[in-house]
Amino acid sequence: MADKSIGERYNNQDYLTANPDWGASHAPWKARIVGELVERRGLDVDRIAEVGCGSGAVLEQLQQRWPDKSFTGYDLSSVAHEIARPRAKEGLDYRLEDLTAADAHYDLLLCLDVVEHVENSFGFLRQIRDKADWHVFHIPLELTASTILRGRLMAGRHSVGHLHYYTRETALAQLEECGFHIVSEYYSRPFARDGVHAPTLKRRLANLVRRATFRMAPHLVVRAIGGASLLVLARPDKAGS
């Protein structure tokens, strides 16, 4: 039963039933933080790919921001591919294909909220390392005192299929152990004000308190009560590979 839930949930209706838009509602926010990161660092990237692109909406948003660049989305889920495919247009392509086995190389590879879903996450990271000159990772930091004490880790496992749980330190350590050089990292809009991340009044009020304390002790707050993900810019570490 465990093998079925891990190996098939993205190719049957299980994940779609729990996540009807396959993450599309988060796409404007994710595209914005990726775009701001790339532009702030002045990266010269023309060919951009996303592994585990899901609904394809992040790449669609980025193409609107950078219409002169080319975008390719990869996903192994036939269900996700059917959702993404209608978004395809000139300069924006979606492939039902395993990037790790593809003969392809890009200027920038996005891996947004994917690593925590992959059973062999170490092997996956090593396989995508040399697929691009630059990598952007977005990793939820769910391993907190609050989630453990409230018994909330399994909720994410059942609803969105997370198999691995991270702190800032373990996420960065895994990337480095898999041959990535960390260029920059920061918490991505912790306790965001938008409705996607704070759908209820209770959550919005809690986030007001979290933001106030986060400004004083960010690492402590994230370790204690969570509410943040890590956005990482990395390059393949040629010296360590």
Side-chain angles (χ1 to χ4, degrees):
M1 186 66 168
D3 287 343
K4 180 179 184 297
S5 63
I6 291 173
E8 297 180 14
R9 62 161 59 107
Y10 305 110
N11 279 303
N12 58 31
Q13 297 301 308
D14 293 348
Y15 187 83
L16 183 63
T17 300
N19 305 273
D21 72 347
W22 213 285
S25 58
H26 294 236
W29 168 70
K30 288 184 180 180
R32 182 165 67 252
I33 61 174
V34 169
E36 290 170 354
L37 173 61
V38 169
E39 291 168 3
R40 185 169 61 251
R41 301 293 303 195
L43 301 186
D44 183 16
V45 293
D46 293 316
R47 299 179 68 246
I48 299 168
E50 183 181 7
V51 60
C53 66
S55 70
V58 171
L59 292 184
E60 182 181 49
Q61 292 279 324
L62 287 173
Q63 191 193 41
Q64 294 174 15
R65 188 179 187 119
W66 300 319
D68 58 330
K69 303 182 187 299
S70 68
F71 299 87
T72 306
Y74 290 84
D75 208 293
L76 293 176
S77 167
S78 58
V79 180
H81 183 66
E82 288 303 307
I83 297 173
R85 191 170 58 175
R87 304 180 192 275
K89 61 187 75 171
E90 184 177 356
L92 177 58
D93 181 36
Y94 297 101
R95 301 179 183 178
L96 181 59
E97 185 178 350
D98 184 356
L99 173 62
T100 65
D103 183 15
H105 185 87
Y106 296 91
D107 300 321
L108 173 65
L109 179 61
L110 309 180
C111 184
L112 310 178
D113 298 284
V114 170
V115 175
E116 66 275 11
H117 292 267
V118 179
E119 188 171 359
N120 180 5
S121 58
F122 282 85
F124 168 73
L125 287 170
R126 293 187 179 105
Q127 287 175 314
I128 68 170
R129 181 186 59 208
D130 295 322
K131 294 294 183 180
D133 299 326
W134 293 96
H135 295 257
V136 171
F137 295 94
H138 192 253
I139 302 172
L141 303 179
E142 299 172 295
L143 194 57
T144 70
S146 176
T147 54
I148 293 171
L149 291 173
R150 293 187 299 130
R152 296 297 297 168
L153 286 180
M154 290 305 293
R157 195 181 192 92
H158 295 315
S159 63
V160 290
H162 291 182
L163 303 177
H164 311 288
Y165 310 103
Y166 292 95
T167 65
R168 168 180 172 269
E169 292 77 11
T170 61
L172 294 175
Q174 182 170 353
L175 291 174
E176 290 175 340
E177 289 161 3
C178 290
F180 291 93
H181 168 68
I182 308 300
V183 177
S184 67
E185 46 90 10
Y186 65 90
Y187 298 121
S188 61
R189 286 179 56 107
F191 322 121
R193 294 175 174 82
D194 58 75
V196 170
H197 291 78
T200 65
L201 176 60
K202 180 180 179 181
R203 178 68 62 83
R204 289 195 291 271
L205 291 174
N207 282 350
L208 286 174
V209 176
R210 288 170 169 176
R211 284 195 294 270
T213 53
F214 178 84
R215 285 191 286 270
M216 295 182 289
H219 299 314
L220 177 61
V221 170
V222 171
R223 284 196 296 268
I225 61 177
S229 294
L230 195 68
L231 189 69
V232 181
L233 176 66
R235 301 197 75 168
D237 185 356
K238 300 300 184 182
S241 60

